[in-house]
Amino acid sequence: MKKIDSAAQFLTEQMDLFQCPVCRQAFQQVENRSLRCESGHLFDLSKKGTLYFLLKGSKNEYDKEMLTARFQIAQAGLFDPLLDSVYQHIQNKETGHLLDVGCGEGSQLDYLTKLGLKGQKIGFDISKDAIQLAASHFTSAFWCVADLAQSPFATSQYDTILNIFSPSNYQEFERLLKPGGQVLKVVPEKDYLMELRALFYRDQKERQDYSNELVIKKFKEHFSSIETKRVRYQFPLTDDAFKDLMKMTPLSWGASEAAKQYAMEHPLSYITVDVCLLIGSD
Ligand SMILES: [Zn+2]
């Protein structure tokens, strides 16, 4: 079946998972491969079977080169141990509804699917380039371009919200979750990519440090039941993987050209991944 047809079938069967981002009403039908709400707002499926829900264009800092680098290093396994841990904590893996908020180029949701995650899976990102990459590589989820601030997802429909290295909107999470639903959030810990930070900011000790204290504090304010788990490991880097790492990380935005040049000449043979997994529910 063509990607656009299987996406149309998914929408027909799972229409309850969405709502119109313009008028917030339910969608009524899929007609001619478009999703139509009660007031007549239409959203067309792309050839790749993705939906574009943004009401106005968005700018974000993730360009294609960065997304491709992230895809490649994810395929090489950089995030596997962290995702193994996320997987263990997902509830209702067989039939649950899961929303990956800020899914990027789709690697993380695809990996979780390979581990055995079933049920209905939707990945969305505000970056159109990211969603195009996801849809060209993976059929493990329904992919769409959307904004968490004007979200096209329906109220009380989701068992699990994944929020990996991505901004949160807790009011919106609360609206989307079913009673008893959970948010799984991953944030960097202080040693995350520490070797790369040391390379980029050799002369600026203060920029080598990172604290997630405020992010964790905010998370804890929003849930009555909280579990935290630290996941820390070292990942061996080939030369190619090191180049991808340099391209993918937002850290390189703040590094000077001289610092990037120095880093290219001093490739790392391994990198530390250090994150905090936060599991919240009510
Ligand atoms: Zn509408």
Side-chain angles (χ1 to χ4, degrees):
M1 202 193 288
K2 281 187 191 162
K3 278 182 179 174
I4 187 168
D5 291 325
S6 51
Q9 191 182 339
F10 173 86
L11 288 176
T12 306
E13 289 165 5
Q14 306 297 334
M15 210 173 297
D16 290 351
L17 297 181
F18 298 88
Q19 70 173 30
C20 177
V22 181
C23 64
R24 300 182 156 237
Q25 294 190 67
F27 283 110
Q28 220 167 21
Q29 57 177 325
V30 180
E31 59 176 34
N32 299 325
R33 296 163 170 171
S34 295
L35 196 52
R36 184 195 176 90
C37 81
E38 290 166 10
S39 319
H41 298 118
L42 282 174
F43 297 88
D44 305 333
L45 278 168
S46 73
K47 273 190 190 145
K48 284 181 177 167
T50 62
L51 267 179
Y52 186 85
F53 281 117
L54 294 188
L55 306 181
K56 48 181 195 275
S58 83
K59 264 204 214 156
N60 65 73
E61 291 105 332
Y62 295 90
D63 62 21
K64 271 184 193 163
E65 190 188 29
M66 207 170 170
L67 291 162
T68 303
R70 193 180 193 281
F71 169 78
Q72 284 168 185
I73 204 162
Q75 295 306 305
L78 178 65
F79 303 113
D80 291 1
L82 118 72
L83 293 170
D84 290 339
S85 189
V86 168
Y87 180 75
Q88 285 170 19
H89 290 87
I90 296 176
Q91 62 189 15
N92 197 0
K93 292 184 185 67
E94 290 295 322
T95 58
H97 298 166
L98 179 141
L99 186 65
D100 186 357
V101 173
C103 66
E105 28 59 58
S107 299
Q108 61 206 28
L109 194 44
D110 187 68
Y111 182 80
L112 294 169
T113 302
K114 284 184 181 129
L115 289 179
L117 182 64
K118 296 186 179 71
Q120 304 305 335
K121 290 162 282 180
I122 299 172
F124 82 91
D125 203 282
I126 198 162
S127 159
K128 194 178 174 184
D129 288 337
I131 293 305
Q132 279 180 343
L133 269 180
S136 58
H137 288 124
F138 307 122
T139 53
S140 39
F142 182 83
W143 308 108
C144 49
V145 185
D147 183 354
L148 192 52
Q150 275 171 315
S151 142
F153 307 106
T155 302
S156 305
Q157 286 292 331
Y158 294 88
D159 299 86
T160 300
I161 289 176
L162 279 188
N163 188 209
I164 301 179
F165 300 130
S166 168
S168 302
N169 178 334
Y170 292 110
Q171 208 183 338
E172 185 64 5
F173 290 173
E174 203 173 308
R175 182 182 73 80
L176 297 171
L177 284 177
K178 285 180 189 173
Q182 57 171 184
V183 174
L184 296 179
K185 183 172 177 66
V186 173
V187 295
E189 269 289 353
K190 69 177 183 53
D191 293 341
Y192 184 67
L193 309 187
M194 60 189 284
E195 298 84 0
L196 192 62
R197 269 183 283 144
L199 261 186
F200 278 160
Y201 308 124
R202 275 181 306 144
D203 307 323
Q204 301 159 273
K205 184 73 186 75
E206 71 285 358
R207 293 196 65 173
Q208 294 185 22
D209 298 331
Y210 169 81
S211 167
N212 59 19
E213 209 176 311
L214 284 174
V215 178
I216 292 177
K217 185 170 172 272
K218 205 171 165 202
F219 185 91
K220 289 183 174 173
E221 285 167 10
H222 286 89
F223 300 97
S224 55
S225 161
I226 290 141
E227 198 182 327
T228 63
K229 189 178 169 187
R230 190 166 179 177
V231 183
R232 191 182 189 286
Y233 54 94
Q234 288 182 331
F235 182 76
L237 293 167
T238 60
D239 283 356
D240 282 347
F242 176 65
K243 282 180 197 150
D244 286 334
L245 180 70
M246 283 193 39
K247 280 182 210 151
M248 98 163 185
T249 166
L251 285 175
S252 60
W253 297 343
S256 67
E257 281 309 313
K260 282 189 229 175
Q261 188 59 38
Y262 178 86
M264 285 297 278
E265 287 158 8
H266 299 79
L268 299 168
S269 58
Y270 67 90
I271 189 79
T272 299
V273 175
D274 183 18
V275 299
C276 181
L277 168 59
L278 299 151
I279 305 131
S281 59
D282 283 324

